[in-house]
Amino acid sequence: MLAFATAATPWGVDALPVELEVDCRPGLPQMQIVGLPDAAIRESRERVRSALRNCGFAVPPRSVVVSLAPADLRKEGNHLDLAIALALLVAFEKLPQETLDGRLISGELGLDGSLRPVRGGLAMAQLADERGCRELLLPAANVAEAAGWGRGCVVGVKNLLELVDHLTGVAPVAATPPPDFPGQSREGGADLAEVRGQEGAKRALEIAAAGGHNVLLLGPPGSGKTMLARRVPGILPPLSREEAIAVTRVHSLSRGEPLAGLIDERPFRAPHASTSTAGLIGGGTIPRPGEVSLAHGGVLFLDELPEFRRDTLEALRQPLEEGQVSVVRSRARLTFPARFQLVAAMNPCPCGHLGDPRHRCRCPQPLVERYRSRISGPLLDRIDLHVEVPVPKLRELRGRGGESSAAVAERVRQARDRQAARLLGSVSPPINAAMGVEETRRHCALGAESVPLLEQAYQRLGLSARALDRVTKLARTIADLAGSDQIEAAHLAEAIQYRALDRRVDC
Ligand SMILES: Nc1ncnc2c1ncn2[C@@H]1O[C@H](COP(=O)(O)OP(=O)(O)O)[C@@H](O)[C@H]1O
Ligand SMILES: [Mg+2]
């Protein structure tokens, strides 16, 4: 007898349908699975067999062929266990075929018939919705995340027997309702007011947050660089529901344990300097998102920037430029989103004390230069704000805290509203940092009084054409924060000043 089922398997941040056909006929008792890599077939076959037996279903001595299509797609076997088991039950005449029609199925089976969570639940809910499936059947642990998609009918069960009772109508399981989307709660997080002094750095972070620009914090150890970086997500606007879905899709692929629902906070990722290129950028035989993608929609904090391997840093260029990462696997190209805000930090020299009036820096000048040159020009070019974070004065440390994150976030929101009004529909996301050459030309016109400033920056600072382009976009953000439609000379001057640091190695 023939049986059919549709399973879902992750493919990058998406989910793809896998059509199953099971043919069961008298013959040598064996189960053949075609369309899966060898190791996955063996494992899946054993899990399904044991689960069926341990749930009390006799596996009749028949010749069974399970065919999975499309055959050339590299599938992860464990997602298909549940659909294989259910299709076998239909083939063995324990379940009517209609119970599987119009249902999308995904789940890994334990040997006792329990259901183990799978990756990519949210993307599967989208797939089920787009295909007009009447139900998405998932392990219970996955439904909180999958229901976050907001449409369609998501049913979660703990084991195979519970699912069979649901399908036959003996004990139907209610669909999980979509959760409310509360938006980011700002209470209890680290607040900018806790950072004393550092007004210059705080201003730079406000500008960075307003336009989505990348920042490099340069200062001696203990000056508060890490503290400042951790407070950037708190001044960014809350995630919209669409952004939360994009963030959740990525995290759903990499977490060991299932997500408790939509992620509604902007990610903050701080990979260690020893992280490999694959760890940072993504990759692997079954491609997984790297740190740049896990930071999508939020902040990627690279502390001790010169300690990262040079080739790892160079690999950052593509995501910084394109907001995504492409991985080519078995004739197919996968893309992971990677639009993050880069906050990098470094000491001014190997000993860290350069420019600290309380300690003598003993680093010879060539060593300082070698240390700084570990970060290549093209990477520095893509960092719009180079900011000095000096050792705070005692008076500052003992003084009152400055503005709260909420107050800064409100100005950032207003500046982003101005950008959205200008860019919505032509630039995605509608922020200044994401403008292409054409939009920059259209929206960043400079007055006559600004041209000499630009000329000076080009000649004296030796800025590249790309850097000049980015300076203009930064000036646009500074004007937006000031509520100005025009980029004034003062806005451009401030933007240029954030470029001056890396040219000045003053021992
Ligand atoms: N400006 C500051 N205001 C308040 N505390 C500070 C400040 N700078 C440093 N600190 C204190 O020093 C600690 C170390 O700061 P950190 O951010 O780790 O410095 P860095 O990353 O520059 O080495 C912080 O946890 C905080 O307690
Ligand atoms: Mg630090």
Side-chain angles (χ1 to χ4, degrees):
M1 159 150 189
L2 275 176
F4 304 90
T6 309
T9 182
W11 180 247
V13 291
D14 297 319
L16 286 185
V18 178
E19 302 295 344
L20 273 92
E21 271 181 86
V22 173
D23 188 8
C24 172
R25 56 183 64 203
L28 217 54
Q30 59 171 355
M31 193 199 303
Q32 235 188 321
I33 305 182
V34 292
L36 258 189
D38 285 352
I41 291 177
R42 231 176 295 124
E43 289 169 14
S44 202
R45 189 168 49 197
E46 296 318 316
R47 282 196 302 266
V48 170
R49 260 201 202 122
S50 298
L52 286 174
R53 282 212 183 92
N54 289 328
C55 287
F57 297 106
V59 178
R62 302 270 159 78
S63 165
V64 175
V65 179
V66 180
S67 158
L68 309 168
D72 59 351
L73 174 72
R74 193 178 170 91
K75 299 176 253 334
E76 288 180 55
N78 58 347
H79 286 84
L80 307 173
D81 288 357
L82 185 58
I84 295 176
L86 291 175
L88 282 173
L89 287 176
V90 172
F92 299 156
E93 297 177 16
K94 299 283 193 306
L95 264 183
Q97 173 66 52
E98 309 85 79
T99 55
L100 303 191
D101 294 342
R103 287 186 158 108
L104 190 67
I105 308 159
S106 193
E108 177 178 327
L109 280 170
L111 300 185
D112 58 354
S114 60
L115 282 178
R116 298 205 189 123
V118 288
R119 298 170 202 261
L122 186 71
M124 290 173 191
Q126 180 182 358
L127 178 67
D129 179 31
E130 285 169 359
R131 287 173 63 98
C133 293
R134 59 176 158 145
E135 248 173 31
L136 169 64
L137 303 176
L138 283 178
N142 283 118
V143 289
E145 175 197 322
W149 175 248
R151 285 197 303 272
C153 194
V154 182
V155 170
V157 287
K158 293 206 180 62
N159 60 57
L160 189 58
L161 282 176
E162 196 186 334
L163 184 53
V164 169
D165 284 349
H166 169 69
L167 293 173
T168 51
V170 173
V173 179
T176 305
D180 291 335
F181 182 69
Q184 190 172 6
S185 109
R186 298 216 175 266
E187 278 149 38
D191 201 288
L192 213 51
E194 292 152 4
V195 184
R196 310 287 148 126
Q198 305 299 13
E199 295 310 322
K202 287 182 190 171
R203 162 79 180 158
L205 291 183
E206 177 174 337
I207 297 169
H213 305 282
N214 302 321
V215 198
L216 172 64
L217 303 173
L218 194 104
S223 58
K225 302 183 294 296
T226 301
M227 221 183 156
L228 283 161
R230 287 198 177 278
R231 283 153 182 80
V232 174
I235 58 171
L236 290 169
L239 284 179
S240 67
R241 199 167 170 282
E242 287 64 41
E243 287 174 311
I245 284 177
V247 170
T248 306
R249 288 160 80 99
V250 180
H251 285 258
S252 165
L253 294 173
S254 73
R255 295 273 176 107
E257 76 276 19
L259 299 173
L262 284 186
I263 295 175
D264 58 2
E265 289 193 1
R266 293 203 178 263
F268 180 88
R269 305 290 302 188
H272 189 258
S274 62
T275 305
S276 66
T277 306
L280 193 66
I281 306 299
T285 351
I286 293 165
R288 294 267 185 257
E291 290 292 335
V292 293
S293 296
L294 294 168
H296 178 71
V299 172
L300 179 70
F301 178 47
L302 300 183
D303 204 0
E304 314 284 357
L305 193 65
E307 306 297 334
F308 281 79
R309 285 170 50 124
R310 207 180 156 123
D311 52 342
T312 305
L313 290 183
E314 290 310 295
L316 272 177
R317 283 206 232 162
Q318 189 205 8
L320 279 176
E321 208 61 33
E322 297 170 16
Q324 60 181 31
V325 170
S326 302
V327 186
V328 178
R329 279 295 169 284
S330 56
R331 289 172 289 136
R333 180 188 285 268
L334 279 178
T335 44
F336 289 111
R339 190 161 296 280
F340 54 86
Q341 195 157 347
L342 175 67
V343 180
M346 64 185 280
N347 293 335
C349 65
C351 83
H353 294 307
L354 183 65
D356 181 350
R358 301 164 312 146
H359 295 94
R360 216 170 94 84
C361 166
R362 295 182 190 281
C363 305
Q365 177 72 19
L367 206 64
V368 175
E369 275 171 27
R370 185 149 17 107
Y371 178 73
R372 292 195 182 192
S373 70
R374 284 200 215 157
I375 303 150
S376 73
L379 180 61
L380 266 186
D381 257 8
R382 289 168 170 85
I383 304 182
D384 308 297
L385 297 110
H386 306 168
V387 185
E388 215 158 356
V389 184
V391 178
K393 300 204 168 57
L394 184 64
R395 175 174 50 77
E396 288 171 337
L397 285 176
R398 291 173 53 87
R400 287 159 48 85
E403 270 186 306
S404 68
S405 290
V408 180
E410 176 53 24
R411 287 197 297 273
V412 168
R413 189 189 62 77
Q414 287 175 13
R416 286 211 170 193
D417 285 349
R418 296 182 73 87
Q419 295 167 62
R422 192 187 306 127
L423 302 175
L424 209 61
S426 61
V427 177
S428 173
I431 51 174
N432 290 336
M435 285 192 290
V437 178
E438 181 49 38
E439 291 87 15
T440 310
R441 201 165 295 149
R442 189 165 343 128
H443 300 299
C444 302
L446 297 175
E449 71 286 2
S450 294
V451 177
L453 273 175
L454 208 58
E455 173 71 28
Q456 212 183 359
Y458 191 59
Q459 296 300 342
R460 191 166 52 83
L461 300 177
L463 295 188
S464 68
R466 185 195 300 115
L468 271 189
D469 211 44
R470 298 188 79 110
V471 164
T472 335
K473 291 196 259 186
L474 190 64
R476 181 62 267 167
T477 300
I478 295 171
D480 283 330
L481 270 172
S484 165
D485 287 336
Q486 287 301 314
I487 302 178
E488 310 285 348
H491 305 144
L492 183 65
E494 186 177 356
I496 291 173
Q497 167 231 308
Y498 289 120
R499 280 281 169 172
L501 204 62
D502 59 308
R503 315 285 146 175
R504 209 177 58 214
V505 185
D506 41 6
C507 222

